[in-house]
Amino acid sequence: MKKAWLPLSFALLLSASSVMADDDVAKFQEDSRKIVKEMMGQLGSKVQSEMKANGPVATIKVCKDIAPATASDFSRKTGQRVTRVSLKVRNPLLGSPDAWEQKVLMDFDKRLENENPANMEFAEVVTEPQGKYLRYMKAIPTQDVCLKCHGTPDTIAQPIKDLLNAEYPHDKATGYTLGQIRGAISIKKPL
Ligand code: HEC
């Protein structure tokens, strides 16, 4: 009789801890959504307003300086790593995905067949050599305004092409069309 109890309580313990993990992921996902919404809201409106007021050359700084600075701000404020990543990067130093991020980005591209990228996200607990992490990614859809610097050759003006060629000789972040996934915001929190 006693023997039978042991595995049962063990099983209960196990299921209790997996319920805990589900709750953790749900709460983390909720918090991450808020971070992404705020961040994409800030950046999206800056790109739009700068483009309208000063044109594409001046707008480069929003994607080049303001976006990474905003991600660092959110990292500092939340104590979690917040970054922008992509499968086709312009700046490999900042935007290259790790193995988990690559897998999720490839999955996002597949999900694009029957899902709206505006709502596309993924979260899970990941065990890495350094420990366990809560990880979250939210797809960044390519909007009209992005095409001026990330689109096909016919959508990118010559001065921008010249600038990109000079500053990013290894640029892979062009050739996108409206609605494709430009990349993702990735959030990583130690458990
Ligand atoms: C005026 C030009 C310009 C526009 C418009 C623009 N970008 Fe960028 N984008 C850049 C540059 C330049 C970089 C490289 C930044 C760096 O040096 O880290 C970049 C980098 C990025 C990255 C980081 C990954 C990478 O490729 O290195 C993402 C993600 C991104 N852009 C998304 C967008 C989205 C989404 C839009 C539209 C809302 C957009 N960009 C509009 C110029 C632009």
Side-chain angles (χ1 to χ4, degrees):
M1 201 49 195
K2 253 194 180 162
K3 260 188 189 159
W5 273 103
L6 204 65
L8 180 62
S9 54
F10 190 59
L12 277 175
L13 248 172
L14 267 182
S15 67
S17 76
S18 77
V19 167
M20 271 285 282
D22 285 351
D23 281 355
D24 282 353
V25 175
K27 164 88 172 63
F28 168 69
Q29 187 159 350
E30 193 80 3
D31 294 345
S32 300
R33 256 180 221 147
K34 282 188 203 138
I35 294 174
V36 167
K37 199 171 167 208
E38 216 183 312
M39 201 172 140
M40 289 191 24
Q42 280 181 19
L43 289 173
S45 54
K46 279 206 181 101
V47 170
Q48 299 282 0
S49 60
E50 191 66 36
M51 189 67 86
K52 244 193 194 148
N54 301 312
V57 173
T59 307
I60 284 188
K61 66 172 177 290
V62 180
C63 230
K64 183 181 176 183
D65 302 320
I66 299 178
T70 307
S72 303
D73 275 354
F74 277 99
S75 300
R76 262 195 309 277
K77 276 193 283 193
T78 61
Q80 303 168 27
R81 199 198 65 167
V82 183
T83 47
R84 288 188 311 174
V85 291
S86 174
L87 289 174
K88 293 200 301 169
V89 282
R90 177 154 287 162
N91 181 354
L93 277 182
L94 280 183
S96 295
D98 67 15
W100 182 82
E101 288 163 337
Q102 273 180 41
K103 193 183 64 151
V104 177
L105 281 166
M106 287 194 296
D107 197 48
F108 280 174
D109 278 341
K110 273 191 219 130
R111 285 166 60 180
L112 199 54
E113 279 166 29
N114 41 29
E115 241 182 275
N116 180 350
N119 307 321
M120 209 181 280
E121 59 175 3
F122 184 68
E124 70 177 352
V125 176
V126 181
T127 306
E128 297 181 10
Q130 296 88 342
K132 269 191 173 179
Y133 296 88
L134 284 160
R135 302 202 64 170
Y136 174 86
M137 296 240 285
K138 166 73 187 68
I140 307 174
T142 307
Q143 301 163 44
D144 217 8
V145 66
C146 319
L147 300 178
K148 291 193 159 54
C149 299
H150 296 291
T152 47
D154 53 307
T155 65
I156 307 177
Q158 198 56 47
I160 292 287
K161 276 185 192 150
D162 295 343
L163 249 159
L164 293 178
N165 281 337
E167 288 202 34
Y168 303 94
H170 306 289
D171 188 11
K172 293 200 167 62
T174 56
Y176 286 91
T177 53
L178 196 66
Q180 280 189 323
I181 294 168
R182 177 60 267 271
I185 294 183
S186 175
I187 302 183
K188 182 174 180 180
K189 180 186 183 180
L191 254 181

